Amino acid sequence: MTNQDITPNFLSLWLARLTARPILIASLVLLIGCVLYLTLNVTSWDFALPLRTRKLVAFLVVGYAVGVSTMLFQTLTHNPILTPSLLGFDALYVLIQSLMLFFLGMVSYVTMPSVGKFAFEVAVMMVMSVLMFRFLFTKHNQDLTRLILVGVIFGILFRSLSYMVARMINPDEFVTVQAQSYASFTAVNINLLMVAVVLSVATFIYVWRQRFALDVLLLGRNCAISLGVPYRQLSLGILITIALLVSMATALVGPVTFFGLLVCALTNRFCTKMAHGERLILVTLIASSTLIVGQAVFEHLFKMAGVLEVVIELFGGVAFLLLIFTQYKTKRQ
C-alpha cells in the first residue's frame, strides 16, 4: 500500500473522529473567534485590549444566558420551537423601561445606577414568573400548556401597555424607549458585567447539579414523578433560573427573540447525546461562538457594527419556520 492510499484514509478517519466530538469543534471555533476579536485591526493595544476583553466577557455571558435559558425552557415544555420570550419576559422588560422613563423622567432615568436598575428589573421579572407558576401549578393543577398560553397573553398585554406609555411621553423619551426595545451587541452595559459574571456562575452551578434530573424531565412529568424527581420544585427552580438568565442577557444587550432558538436548533442538530451534561456545554459554546465570531467579522472586517443582531434574528426566524414545517411534516407522516 502506498502513501497516497494511506493519506486519504487517515484524513477521513481523523475527520470522522473530529465531527463526532461537537464540543471539541465548538471549543476550537470559540477559541479562534476570541483571538480574532481581540487582535483584528488593533492600533493601540493599551486602549483596545482592555475594552475588547470586557466586551468579550460580556459576549460569553450573553451567549451562556440566552442559550441555557432557551434550552431549559425547551426541556421544561418538551418542545424544541419554544423560547422564554413566549412567557412575555422580553415584553415585560420593555414595559419596565417605559414605566421608569414615564414616572422618573429622562434625567433621573439616565442617571439611575445601573446595578440598582438591573436589580429592580430582575426582581420584577422573577416575581412575575413565580406568581404565574404558583397560580397555574397548584397541587391539583399542573397545566404547562395553560402556563404558556397565559404567558403569551401577558406578552401581548405588556406590549400594548408599552405602546400606550410610548404615546404619553415626549419624542426624546420615546427614542430612548425604542432604543431599549432592540438588541445591540455593540452597546454592552459594561457596568453590569461583574454582577452578570457572578450570576452566571451561580446559575451554572445550580443547573449543573440538576443536569441528571433534567435528563429525567425529558421523559415527561408522569415519568419524572414516578422516578422520584420533585417535579413541582424542580420546575419552579428552572423557571426562576430562566427569568434570571433572560433578564440578565436583556439588561446587557437588549431583547433577543430568535437567537436562543437558533443556537438550540444547532445544538440539537450536532449533539450526539440527549444528556444535559453535554448539551448545556455545547449550547453555551455555540451561542458564544456565534456572537464573538459574528461580531469580529462584522465589526472589524466589514466595518458594519450594527448588522449582527439583524442577521442573527433573520437566521433565527428562518430556523423557527423550518422547525415548524418539519414538525408538521412529521405529524402528517
Side-chain angles (χ1 to χ4, degrees):
M1 183 179 294
T2 63
N3 293 332
Q4 295 179 352
D5 296 330
I6 296 176
T7 302
N9 294 330
F10 174 77
L11 290 176
S12 61
L13 181 61
W14 182 80
L15 289 174
R17 290 181 177 178
L18 186 61
T19 53
R21 300 175 181 177
I23 292 181
L24 178 59
I25 299 176
S27 300
L28 291 175
V29 173
L30 178 60
L31 179 61
I32 294 172
C34 293
V35 173
L36 288 176
Y37 184 78
L38 291 176
T39 57
L40 280 177
N41 298 330
V42 174
T43 56
S44 175
W45 289 98
D46 294 336
F47 172 76
L49 191 59
L51 178 61
R52 293 188 182 186
T53 301
R54 290 194 296 267
K55 294 181 68 174
L56 181 67
V57 175
F59 289 145
L60 293 173
V61 170
V62 172
Y64 158 76
V66 175
V68 171
S69 62
T70 306
M71 176 161 290
L72 291 177
F73 190 73
Q74 292 181 358
T75 299
L76 183 64
T77 58
H78 308 288
N79 196 316
I81 65 174
L82 297 181
T83 63
S85 60
L86 290 178
L87 290 183
F89 289 143
D90 295 343
L92 178 59
Y93 172 81
V94 177
L95 177 61
I96 293 172
Q97 307 304 314
S98 303
L99 291 177
M100 286 193 298
L101 189 61
F102 176 76
F103 288 108
L104 298 178
M106 177 68 76
V107 177
S108 300
Y109 177 83
V110 174
T111 58
M112 181 183 298
S114 57
V115 177
K117 178 172 171 290
F118 172 71
F120 175 75
E121 295 164 358
V122 172
V124 172
M125 297 177 76
M126 292 183 66
V127 167
M128 286 296 298
S129 63
V130 172
L131 287 177
M132 283 195 300
F133 193 91
R134 291 296 298 270
F135 279 118
L136 299 175
F137 269 59
T138 60
K139 184 177 295 186
H140 304 289
N141 181 23
Q142 299 185 6
D143 193 351
L144 190 59
T145 303
R146 183 181 299 179
L147 175 66
I148 298 172
L149 291 176
V150 171
V152 173
I153 294 173
F154 271 114
I156 297 174
L157 174 63
F158 295 151
R159 291 185 181 91
S160 300
L161 292 176
S162 300
Y163 295 149
M164 183 185 70
V165 174
R167 292 179 177 273
M168 300 170 62
I169 59 180
N170 61 54
D172 293 335
E173 295 174 343
F174 176 76
V175 172
T176 304
V177 173
Q178 286 293 100
Q180 297 289 337
S181 303
Y182 301 99
S184 177
F185 297 110
T186 57
V188 178
N189 194 336
I190 302 298
N191 297 326
L192 298 176
L193 190 54
M194 290 304 300
V195 179
V197 170
V198 173
L199 291 177
S200 298
V201 173
T203 54
F204 180 79
I205 292 174
Y206 169 76
V207 173
W208 187 255
R209 294 181 61 182
Q210 301 294 334
R211 65 188 186 279
F212 299 118
L214 292 172
D215 295 338
V216 179
L217 199 62
L218 287 174
L219 301 176
R221 182 176 68 88
N222 295 330
C223 291
I225 293 175
S226 62
L227 292 175
V229 174
Y231 181 80
R232 191 165 182 268
Q233 292 82 353
L234 179 61
S235 300
L236 178 60
I238 292 175
L239 198 62
I240 293 175
T241 304
I242 291 172
L244 181 59
L245 292 175
V246 170
S247 58
M248 181 176 65
T250 307
L252 285 174
V253 299
V256 286
T257 304
F258 292 116
F259 177 55
L261 182 67
L262 175 63
V263 296
C264 283
L266 293 175
T267 302
N268 295 331
R269 175 65 179 83
F270 295 116
C271 191
T272 58
K273 300 178 181 179
M274 295 299 293
H276 281 76
E278 179 178 338
R279 288 157 56 85
L280 291 171
I281 296 176
L282 185 58
V283 74
T284 302
L285 293 173
I286 291 178
S288 302
S289 301
T290 303
L291 290 179
I292 295 171
V293 174
Q295 191 67 24
V297 171
F298 284 109
E299 183 175 346
H300 301 305
L301 289 182
F302 296 153
K303 306 298 182 182
M304 296 181 295
V307 177
L308 178 61
E309 52 267 26
V310 179
V311 174
I312 286 178
E313 291 297 288
L314 173 62
F315 281 100
V318 172
F320 177 73
L321 294 177
L322 290 176
L323 288 172
I324 291 179
F325 291 146
T326 301
Q327 286 199 347
Y328 176 72
K329 290 183 179 179
T330 302
K331 289 182 178 180
R332 290 194 63 181
Q333 293 174 356

